[in-house]
Amino acid sequence: MNDFETVRESQPVTPHVTLVEAIGIDTLRRLLAEFRLGVTAVALDAPIPGSFWGDAEAGLQGGTLLVRVDTPLHSALHEAGHYVCMDPKRRAVLDTDAGGGYDEENAVCYWQIMACDRIEGVDRDTMCADMDAWGYTFRLGSAAAWFADDAEDARAWLIGAGLLDDVHDRLLPGVRIR
């Protein structure tokens, strides 16, 4: 069983989440450059290429994350996490649908929460609340409860992939190489 299920029909972006504009595109670029992922800003009135969910949700095409200033930060980090966690073969043909199995999806959720440690002014609790507001659902009822008490498998997946330092409990720069 998956640790969570994303339940979202075509609904407008919840206004009570942190947007990319809160940290700025340049901050997002600097963060994701450590993981060899480029960031392209899309005009506010334009659709986001490579967006799986549409609306203001982040898009992925190849080694580029596409966002607008009104893109929810959790969406940008989630899609970035998919890029970081996927193997090079999938990355080479990446366009819109990141794919991946349950274990990788859980690792991506863990990764996006951990990424907040590298963003000034955004903490893990905020990310978890934003994930809950958007519609991620977890067995324990919230992203924060899952992260604290039910995410051992996701953490182990990231450690096994060489993406998380298990001694210092921090993300490692770079992308999955196997």
Side-chain angles (χ1 to χ4, degrees), residues 2-178:
N2 194 7
D3 289 339
F4 81 99
E5 177 182 343
T6 302
V7 179
R8 184 171 192 262
E9 307 263 330
S10 182
Q11 61 189 16
V13 174
T14 305
H16 305 293
V17 298
T18 307
L19 302 179
V20 167
E21 73 179 340
I23 66 162
I25 298 273
D26 288 338
T27 297
L28 189 60
R29 280 188 180 120
R30 282 189 299 276
L31 168 69
L32 298 180
E34 293 181 46
F35 300 95
R36 297 186 220 130
L37 181 60
V39 177
T40 296
V42 176
L44 190 56
D45 60 347
I48 300 175
S51 176
F52 184 81
W53 294 106
D55 299 326
E57 301 297 323
L60 271 177
Q61 291 184 322
T64 304
L65 179 75
L66 298 107
V67 296
R68 298 188 314 219
V69 292
D70 68 334
T71 295
L73 181 59
H74 70 83
S75 174
L77 293 179
H78 189 85
E79 296 306 316
H82 271 295
Y83 177 83
V84 170
C85 290
M86 71 177 53
D87 63 46
K89 184 177 177 183
R90 283 187 23 236
R91 201 175 299 123
V93 296
L94 178 58
D95 187 358
T96 307
D97 187 355
Y102 290 134
D103 291 340
E104 181 181 301
E105 187 68 31
N106 291 335
V108 167
C109 289
Y110 197 94
W111 187 94
Q112 81 186 77
I113 294 168
M114 292 294 295
C116 293
D117 293 349
R118 295 177 177 229
I119 304 170
E120 187 174 334
V122 180
D123 58 25
R124 294 176 184 181
D125 290 338
T126 299
M127 180 56 55
C128 288
D130 287 355
M131 291 166 72
D132 292 342
W134 185 82
Y136 294 69
T137 58
F138 293 86
R139 284 190 300 228
L140 297 183
S142 73
W146 169 78
F147 186 80
D149 298 321
D150 194 32
E152 299 86 10
D153 57 334
R155 185 175 188 280
W157 192 99
L158 289 168
I159 292 167
L163 299 171
L164 182 69
D165 177 345
D166 63 335
V167 174
H168 298 101
D169 199 36
R170 64 178 178 222
L171 295 179
L172 296 171
V175 293
R176 184 175 180 203
I177 54 174
R178 51 184 149 100

